Amino acid sequence: MDKRCISAECLSDTGFSYTLSLINGKYKMTILYTLMEFDVVRFNEMKKYIGGISYKTLSTTLKELEADQLVHRKEYPQIPPKVEYSLTERGKSLIPILDRMCEWGDKNRI
């Protein structure tokens, strides 16, 4: 097998880079983890669960995850407004990765 030469490669062309572009951000993995653990979550429940995240940051991050088709937003036509978030099938495909990260963290916690 030929050895790869780094000068002929580009990180941005890798699957790793693409995946990172979807999940990179201060709270994206936290939101995905929250939805993995609780299936369907309302906005204020998520804010309270995560703690330390502003309304604006949570809203913006959820919109980004929705645009990347990882999170589904369901709005109910009622007063007061009710909005629920869940993982899409594409988002659910990240669950094995999140599970492995949790396992690693449990085994390597200092």
Side-chain angles (χ1 to χ4, degrees):
M1 179 178 242
D2 293 330
K3 190 172 183 178
R4 293 172 57 198
C5 179
I6 195 167
S7 63
E9 302 286 337
C10 181
L11 180 63
S12 64
D13 295 335
T14 64
F16 172 80
S17 181
Y18 176 72
T19 304
L20 196 60
S21 74
L22 296 179
I23 63 173
N24 195 23
K26 185 171 181 180
Y27 290 103
K28 284 186 177 182
M29 290 294 289
T30 305
I31 291 169
L32 293 170
Y33 171 80
T34 302
L35 294 173
M36 177 186 81
E37 287 294 305
F38 299 102
D39 295 324
V40 177
V41 181
R42 294 179 68 178
F43 185 90
N44 286 330
E45 294 172 331
M46 191 176 310
K47 173 149 182 2
K48 183 178 178 184
Y49 178 74
I50 294 172
I53 187 171
S54 70
Y55 287 101
K56 182 177 177 12
T57 300
L58 180 56
S59 177
T60 301
T61 306
L62 283 165
K63 285 177 185 172
E64 290 171 4
L65 290 167
E66 187 181 6
D68 290 331
Q69 300 174 359
L70 298 175
V71 169
H72 174 71
R73 179 182 190 269
K74 183 172 184 179
E75 189 173 341
Y76 294 89
Q78 65 184 51
I79 296 174
K82 178 181 174 183
V83 179
E84 295 178 335
Y85 295 90
S86 59
L87 292 175
T88 62
E89 288 304 313
R90 187 174 192 212
K92 289 177 184 175
S93 70
L94 287 169
I95 287 176
I97 297 166
L98 295 171
D99 280 339
R100 295 286 295 155
M101 290 175 69
C102 292
E103 290 170 17
W104 188 92
D106 287 340
K107 289 178 184 174
N108 292 280
R109 191 180 317 203
I110 297 176

